[in-house]
Amino acid sequence: VMMLMSCTSTMISPVTLRRRYHVFSFPSLVYILLLLIRWEEERSTDGSKWRFLEHKGPVFAPPYEPLPDKVKFYYDGKLMKLSAPAEEVATFFGKMLDHEYTTKDIFRKNFFKDWRKEMTSEEKSKITDLNKCNFSDMNEYFKTQSEARKQMSKQEKQKIKEENERLLQEYGFCIMDNHKERIGNFRIEPPGLFRGRGDHPKMGMLKRRIRPEDIIINCSKDSKHPKPPQGTKWKEVRHDNKVTWLASWTENIQGSIKYIMLNPSSRIKGEKDWQKYETARRLKKCVDRIRNQYREDWKSKEMRIRQRAVALYFIDKLALRAGNEKEEGETADTVGCCSLRVEHIKLYPKMDDQEYVVEFDFLGKDSIRYYNKIPVEKRVFKNLQLFLENKQPEDDLFDRLNVRMTSMMDKLVTYFHISVTKNYLSHLVVSFLGDAADDSIPAKILSYNRANRAVAILCNHQRAPPKTFEKSMQNLQTKIDEKQNQLSTAKKQLKAAKADHKASHDEKSKKTLEVKRKAVQRIEEQLMKLQVQATDREENKQIALGTSKLNYLDPRISVAWCKKWSVPIEKIYNKTQREKFAWAIDMAEKDYEF
Ligand SMILES: *[C@@H]1O[C@H](CO)[C@@H](O)[C@H](O)[C@H]1NC(C)=O
Ligand SMILES: *[C@@H]1O[C@H](CO)[C@@H](O)[C@H](O)[C@H]1NC(C)=O
Ligand SMILES: CC(=O)N[C@H]1CO[C@H](CO)[C@@H](O)[C@@H]1O
């Protein structure tokens, strides 16, 4: 692990990069220099991130608007008018009535407990059983409201759009040193009920409304300080240029601190992203050394070192998360590699025609099940047997790994993922795309998505098939069928035109023949496009591509690939993603190598 640290800690410095300028072609060199100038301009040795920072503070969620009188709430069959605070919280529940969350015991219990805190003492004494509450009128009301929103006229929609644009212009930008930068999340989430992933023990709890009194503002002393809404105060105004947050508050469910930060396209974020991939790139160079080392360590006399080496092997081979410590009962019971318990693995000395098979079955990040069976090397297998000796199912598999080491490994794993998955990707891209030069754009994109999918599968980024999946597949299939009919009609017409031309040999029939031939060609292309789309969608049914695409794949690889095969960048990255990866889009030439 120390070795890993030592080879990743020396971040590539702009100076080194400048010395290596010959690696880049001329236009990208100019671009890099510009970037460096921008980055170095403010980069100072004392760790400060800015000298001047001015912004307008966050945009708060709109205040609660009481329900119209016609919307009723019944308790135990009797009409009851709720006080505004109690009603507000009731609407959070009423809105979700169709969701299965509201049937879950923990959710109901947590909600009811928090709801009662918002009630007047009279309400509290009356409302004692959630089962006797009838929210159906509220639910009906919100459904009508959302229907009405969908039916809005063009002008009304335009008005909302303009209002959003106005807020963006006013609050969405800050001045950091000499640059105007986009702020990422300047709107504060409205209050609601906490859901969490999986069976989160806190689901149903009230996510409180955030008020100016909760907000700490960070800005420079000599800037125009943001003004809190009339009649309110900020919790505090600080001037700390060692951090890049503009504002922060503590949310009440997990007690975690939330920040308002710059948009991913901003200077600071772009630089961080770039460094991440550069580190991964450097890691690639010492990966072999690390692998040799952990193999050596499987034989170590010290149990701690053996455990570390086996854990590292799994992380490397399976791209598992390291998994950090968390407080008990805080979140759903999820684990990473280092927090695996005895019950999460099974050993099979022999299985079918394979030897030394390990079966993994556990809940990983976001409660996503990880299930895998893999043959491992004999030495790993023997070590695992040793680690399992005299342990109970709920004991830690790697009981000698300490917390500090785990968190250190966690950092490294990110780089490991990028580096390893990246190698995998470029390998796949090459094998899928070897001589794809003649393929149509949709076929090329299918290949790209396949490569991306392979990485997502490796990282276990699953998703439940979208609710609309079957429906949208059916629609697509209908379109394909229609196209096929069109095609056979067009082919028949072409045949007839041919016969016609053969018989008459005149100009008119020749022209018709040409037109028909073109039509067949066009329809064939359209059909192919639809078929490729169907394949892509089907293969993607249970896989979430986003995480690996946005966090693990060096965007320069994707960009270079697009340039090489003349695929428009827009087909791979949407607008927000293009902003995030602007640096890579300008930097990567088609021969870029990771
Ligand atoms: C809840 O109230 C609605 C009227 O708003 C009524 O139609 C419905 O039967 C009530 N449900 C129950 C379970 O009492
Ligand atoms: C682009 O994709 C991201 C998901 O990666 C999504 O959150 C975002 O809204 C999309 N942006 C646009 C402009 O479509
Ligand atoms: C307030 C805020 O959002 N950001 C930081 C400002 O500076 C302090 C340090 O003094 C940080 O703790 C805050 O997170």
Side-chain angles (χ1 to χ4, degrees):
V1 174
M2 285 319 291
M3 201 157 74
L4 258 165
M5 287 297 267
S6 71
C7 75
T8 57
S9 62
T10 35
M11 193 67 77
I12 186 156
S13 83
V15 182
T16 338
L17 187 69
R18 214 177 281 154
R19 240 185 270 129
R20 292 194 205 148
Y21 66 89
H22 57 273
V23 179
F24 302 93
S25 63
F26 183 69
S28 60
L29 172 64
V30 171
Y31 180 76
I32 290 167
L33 289 180
L34 282 176
L35 273 184
L36 292 176
I37 291 163
R38 251 191 109 182
W39 288 344
E40 279 208 333
E41 194 175 44
E42 284 91 12
R43 210 181 230 236
S44 54
T45 42
D46 63 357
S48 62
K49 305 286 201 301
W50 46 264
R51 283 193 300 265
F52 180 82
L53 174 62
E54 181 169 292
H55 60 96
K56 287 280 191 78
V59 173
F60 292 92
Y64 177 64
E65 276 181 42
L67 293 171
D69 283 335
K70 66 173 196 296
V71 185
K72 312 284 190 211
F73 169 76
Y74 301 92
Y75 183 74
D76 204 7
K78 285 194 265 313
L79 184 66
M80 195 171 163
K81 177 77 191 151
L82 295 172
S83 64
E87 184 189 88
E88 179 178 7
V89 179
T91 61
F92 300 152
F93 194 84
K95 261 179 211 165
M96 294 176 65
L97 228 47
D98 297 332
H99 203 291
E100 75 157 318
Y101 272 112
T102 55
T103 62
K104 293 191 178 180
D105 274 348
I106 320 175
F107 192 92
R108 295 175 70 87
K109 205 178 114 245
N110 286 336
F111 160 72
F112 196 56
K113 192 167 157 218
D114 278 4
W115 184 29
R116 281 175 59 82
K117 290 182 200 154
E118 304 300 313
M119 293 178 187
T120 61
S121 49
E122 198 195 335
E123 284 164 344
K124 232 187 209 165
S125 65
K126 269 194 189 157
I127 304 176
T128 51
D129 183 358
L130 183 56
N131 294 319
K132 291 184 181 164
C133 296
N134 183 341
F135 298 95
S136 64
D137 212 22
M138 272 184 208
N139 186 256
E140 215 40 57
Y141 172 72
F142 288 116
K143 271 192 205 149
T144 341
Q145 291 285 92
S146 98
E147 212 36 56
R149 263 199 302 278
K150 279 186 209 144
Q151 306 293 332
M152 261 189 307
S153 70
K154 260 215 178 100
Q155 286 98 322
E156 287 170 303
K157 279 186 191 153
Q158 186 59 24
K159 228 175 114 195
I160 294 180
K161 213 172 145 193
E162 277 163 18
E163 173 61 11
N164 281 335
E165 185 57 30
R166 191 188 63 76
L167 283 177
L168 174 69
Q169 290 307 329
E170 182 169 356
Y171 294 95
F173 295 89
C174 69
I175 308 283
M176 189 174 270
D177 297 326
N178 300 318
H179 305 282
K180 187 173 170 185
E181 301 273 15
R182 238 334 249 286
I183 299 173
N185 48 338
F186 57 93
R187 285 165 187 271
I188 291 181
E189 259 188 67
L193 302 183
F194 178 73
R195 301 191 197 183
R197 306 257 197 156
D199 272 334
H200 201 291
K202 291 192 169 175
M203 65 175 161
M205 282 173 65
L206 174 62
K207 216 165 56 179
R208 275 187 27 233
R209 179 180 289 276
I210 305 299
R211 300 187 165 79
E213 290 77 8
D214 302 314
I215 304 277
I216 304 175
I217 294 287
N218 210 4
C219 62
S220 53
K221 249 186 202 142
D222 55 347
S223 72
K224 239 193 266 156
H225 296 187
K227 280 203 192 64
Q230 195 142 36
T232 64
K233 272 201 201 134
W234 301 123
K235 182 174 179 189
E236 193 187 330
V237 177
R238 284 186 203 170
H239 314 288
D240 179 357
N241 68 358
K242 298 276 194 303
V243 295
T244 58
W245 337 120
L246 312 184
S248 80
W249 65 93
T250 307
E251 64 71 48
N252 67 302
I253 305 279
Q254 318 252 44
S256 61
I257 302 178
K258 298 277 192 181
Y259 299 102
I260 290 188
M261 300 202 210
L262 295 185
N263 202 47
S265 67
S266 67
R267 173 178 57 94
I268 285 181
K269 289 287 175 78
E271 181 185 26
K272 247 177 126 173
D273 240 22
W274 178 55
Q275 285 178 346
K276 175 171 92 173
Y277 291 110
E278 282 307 315
T279 307
R281 234 172 142 186
R282 294 164 69 80
L283 179 58
K284 197 179 92 174
K285 295 203 187 91
C286 57
V287 135
D288 287 338
R289 237 169 73 209
I290 294 161
R291 287 186 175 144
N292 291 338
Q293 183 66 47
Y294 70 56
R295 310 179 83 85
E296 271 307 301
D297 288 349
W298 291 340
K299 296 177 266 183
S300 166
K301 283 198 203 69
E302 260 189 272
M303 188 57 108
R304 187 177 60 93
I305 291 178
R306 282 198 193 201
Q307 291 195 351
R308 191 178 70 189
V310 171
L312 211 49
Y313 168 77
F314 284 149
I315 287 169
D316 183 14
K317 194 169 161 94
L318 302 171
L320 296 184
R321 284 172 189 279
N324 35 6
E325 297 289 308
K326 52 177 177 257
E327 275 177 54
E328 207 142 300
E330 270 300 287
T331 50
D333 179 28
T334 63
V335 296
C337 182
C338 299
S339 42
L340 281 174
R341 294 190 299 264
V342 172
E343 61 197 335
H344 295 136
I345 67 163
K346 281 203 185 80
L347 304 182
Y348 302 94
K350 240 191 164 71
M351 180 186 261
D352 304 329
D353 53 350
Q354 285 174 321
E355 282 191 309
Y356 309 122
V357 173
V358 183
E359 182 184 55
F360 293 86
D361 191 355
F362 60 91
L363 287 186
K365 186 165 180 285
D366 298 334
S367 294
I368 291 179
R369 182 177 175 207
Y370 183 92
Y371 180 83
N372 203 354
K373 264 188 305 205
I374 54 147
V376 298
E377 293 182 44
K378 183 174 173 190
R379 192 151 257 139
V380 171
F381 196 86
K382 295 282 171 207
N383 268 318
L384 286 170
Q385 284 177 326
L386 194 67
F387 302 161
L388 289 178
E389 265 171 25
N390 302 323
K391 280 191 193 164
Q392 300 301 312
E394 64 280 6
D395 288 344
D396 284 333
L397 175 65
F398 301 116
D399 55 316
R400 304 289 172 92
L401 292 186
N402 62 30
V403 183
R404 219 188 93 245
M405 199 150 66
T406 313
S407 80
M408 208 157 74
M409 276 163 87
D410 219 20
K411 273 201 204 93
L412 295 168
V413 165
T414 308
Y415 297 126
F416 230 84
H417 276 188
I418 297 167
S419 187
V420 174
T421 54
K422 157 59 212 47
N423 278 331
Y424 197 52
L425 179 85
S426 57
H427 168 75
L428 282 164
V429 168
V430 171
S431 64
F432 278 126
L433 303 172
D435 43 10
D438 299 332
D439 279 357
S440 64
I441 299 275
K444 285 178 188 169
I445 290 173
L446 177 61
S447 306
Y448 178 86
N449 286 346
R450 279 187 174 150
N452 190 171
R453 253 191 304 276
V455 177
I457 290 169
L458 181 73
C459 299
N460 199 37
H461 294 151
Q462 299 178 31
R463 64 166 183 182
K467 278 207 188 93
T468 53
F469 185 81
E470 292 304 332
K471 184 107 200 349
S472 77
M473 271 320 255
Q474 263 169 23
N475 289 346
L476 196 54
Q477 194 52 49
T478 316
K479 277 192 201 157
I480 291 177
D481 293 345
E482 276 167 15
K483 265 294 162 242
Q484 253 151 358
N485 288 341
Q486 261 184 37
L487 185 63
S488 58
T489 314
K491 277 186 173 160
K492 270 186 211 136
Q493 288 177 353
L494 175 62
K495 210 168 161 189
K498 263 186 195 155
D500 211 24
H501 180 59
K502 217 171 181 180
S504 63
H505 272 292
D506 61 0
E507 271 309 304
K508 187 163 163 267
S509 67
K510 191 175 168 194
K511 253 195 193 133
T512 315
L513 178 60
E514 226 11 73
V515 170
K516 295 294 174 199
R517 192 170 280 148
K518 285 239 170 74
V520 167
Q521 232 174 37
R522 198 183 58 238
I523 296 170
E524 271 174 344
E525 268 165 30
Q526 288 165 342
L527 178 62
M528 199 269 301
K529 199 168 158 186
L530 287 171
Q531 281 165 335
V532 168
Q533 216 180 343
T535 314
D536 203 5
R537 220 179 269 177
E538 181 63 46
E539 288 180 5
N540 216 38
K541 189 173 173 181
Q542 306 210 41
I543 297 165
L545 293 184
T547 313
S548 53
K549 185 160 153 186
L550 295 183
N551 300 306
Y552 294 150
L553 302 183
D554 184 340
R556 289 171 294 184
I557 297 164
S558 301
V559 171
W561 178 82
C562 283
K563 287 185 181 168
K564 185 163 181 189
W565 303 108
S566 313
V567 176
I569 265 298
E570 299 77 44
K571 301 273 182 195
I572 304 281
Y573 293 132
N574 71 20
K575 186 157 171 292
T576 18
Q577 295 162 350
R578 289 200 298 280
E579 278 173 18
K580 177 174 158 79
F581 295 139
W583 60 273
I585 293 174
D586 287 312
M587 226 172 183
E589 285 307 312
K590 61 175 186 283
D591 50 0
Y592 171 78
E593 271 186 38
F594 182 77

